[in-house]
Amino acid sequence: MSCLKLGIPKGSLQDATLELFARAGWKITLSSRSYVPTIDDSEIECLMVRAQEMARYVETGALDAGITGHDWVVETGSNVEELAELVYAKQRLSRVRWVLAVPEDSPIRKPADLAGKIIATEIVRITENYLARHGVTARVDFSWGATEVKVPQLADAIVEVTETGASLRANRLRIIDTVLESATVFVMNRNAAADPWKREKAQNLILMLQGAIAAASKVGLLLNVRRDDLNRVLDVLPALKKPTISTLSDPDWVAVNTIIEESVVRQILPKLKAANAQGIVEYPLNKIVL
């Protein structure tokens, strides 16, 4: 039987990835003492690998495919095929930024001010390339973690990843510039990508994962309304495209089914009720395949 060897990111993306697979329809079970999880799909074999190392193992063929950050593909210089973005991260559904940051009271205001300074970061290659683009010579030290606390005693500046900037602000750091914007990506070994079965399996997996991501912040709404009040209801609904309108057994009534952002439900439900909508049902979504 053909099998897709798939790398699952261990570390900060791990929980979010396992949850995403569950919503997409795959149950991955991981023992606390094992790096080889089980998955309820006989055509997929999983291995837990740190995101920082994922692209290298995919490049060599130890894995057919894997999920990692675009940043780590760039940092390792790995020759892999990025099949798709999967825009989710540790805390929320978003891209992340690697930013150049300094203490709030630092005199450094722009990249040129870094000349002769020390920068601490996990992404040494990306940072060195960034400095080269700005014509700046500075020392870039690899940081094993807790990078925010290394300024100003151990470094003049840092390049650190952030989703919201909250951790940087909490450590009284000021962002100077964005070095790289990154998203989680599905990468594939180039030889494996040339195999029709493995490529189709990977693309079908991506389709379901992207559908789960698209549905994560949305809910479905189903309601009934008299035809005479339909336009008032439609004026209230912010639809994904156009709502589905179905005739009920009573020809004077219709059912309206649509998808909306969960964050706006509390604002529009009272308006729908005021527009004479009845039997309003909010229901969760697992996937939206566009």
Side-chain angles (χ1 to χ4, degrees):
M1 177 184 292
S2 297
C3 184
L4 183 74
K5 295 181 291 184
L6 178 67
I8 303 296
K10 183 173 179 62
S12 62
L13 277 178
Q14 179 177 317
D15 291 344
T17 301
L18 297 182
E19 181 183 343
L20 175 62
F21 269 79
R23 287 191 282 109
W26 283 269
K27 182 180 180 181
I28 298 176
T29 304
L30 178 64
S31 166
S32 61
R33 298 185 179 183
S34 175
Y35 281 76
V36 184
T38 60
I39 184 170
D40 59 347
D41 187 330
S42 60
E43 296 177 340
I44 299 177
E45 177 184 320
C46 292
L47 187 68
M48 301 296 295
V49 177
R50 289 189 65 81
Q52 295 90 329
E53 303 174 290
M54 186 75 72
R56 291 194 287 109
Y57 291 122
V58 172
E59 179 184 26
T60 63
L63 296 168
D64 295 321
I67 295 173
T68 185
H70 170 71
D71 44 5
W72 296 115
V73 177
V74 176
E75 177 66 12
T76 59
S78 299
N79 182 20
V80 296
E81 183 173 346
E82 294 188 19
L83 288 190
E85 279 193 351
L86 301 172
V87 184
Y88 74 99
K90 179 173 63 174
Q91 297 180 21
R92 58 180 184 167
L93 298 173
S94 67
R95 290 176 171 81
V96 297
R97 293 187 299 149
W98 285 91
V99 297
L100 173 65
V102 297
E104 289 180 345
D105 58 357
S106 171
I108 297 172
R109 299 288 171 179
K110 57 186 182 299
D113 296 336
L114 293 167
K117 304 297 186 182
I118 299 173
I119 304 169
T121 185
E122 287 185 73
I123 54 166
V124 173
R125 177 185 293 192
I126 291 172
T127 301
E128 288 176 341
N129 290 339
Y130 169 83
L131 294 173
R133 291 197 304 271
H134 287 84
V136 175
T137 300
R139 193 177 98 193
V140 181
D141 288 347
F142 178 75
S143 172
W144 290 94
T147 307
E148 297 100 325
V149 303
K150 293 182 177 177
V151 286
Q153 291 89 349
L154 302 177
D156 300 292
I158 65 169
V159 172
E160 179 64 324
V161 68
T162 182
E163 289 183 41
T164 65
S167 178
L168 295 173
R169 291 190 294 272
N171 285 278
R172 301 182 62 82
L173 296 173
R174 170 169 47 86
I175 295 175
I176 297 293
D177 195 12
T178 296
V179 174
L180 179 74
E181 186 175 279
S182 180
T184 307
V185 290
F186 190 104
V187 298
M188 199 164 187
N189 173 273
R190 293 197 178 275
N191 290 332
D195 180 303
W197 184 90
K198 289 185 177 181
R199 190 176 188 92
E200 181 180 8
K201 183 68 177 179
Q203 289 176 329
N204 289 342
L205 178 57
I206 289 167
L207 180 67
M208 295 296 100
L209 292 173
Q210 289 180 328
I213 291 170
S217 62
K218 297 178 176 64
V219 295
L221 275 187
L222 180 63
L223 58 90
N224 297 333
V225 64
R226 288 185 180 275
R227 288 186 182 274
D228 292 343
D229 295 316
L230 178 59
N231 287 336
R232 293 177 60 196
V233 165
L234 295 181
D235 287 341
V236 172
L237 290 174
L240 181 64
K241 287 188 176 177
K242 290 185 178 179
T244 300
I245 301 172
S246 306
T247 301
L248 298 178
S249 57
D250 184 337
D252 292 332
W253 286 77
V254 295
V256 178
N257 195 355
T258 192
I259 296 170
I260 64 172
E261 291 287 339
E262 186 176 18
S263 60
V264 305
V265 171
R266 63 187 182 186
Q267 281 85 33
I268 70 168
L269 278 187
K271 296 178 182 178
L272 289 172
K273 187 67 176 175
N276 294 330
Q278 298 185 17
I280 305 171
V281 177
E282 175 188 343
Y283 56 91
L285 303 171
N286 282 331
K287 290 177 282 293
I288 299 174
V289 179
L290 302 175

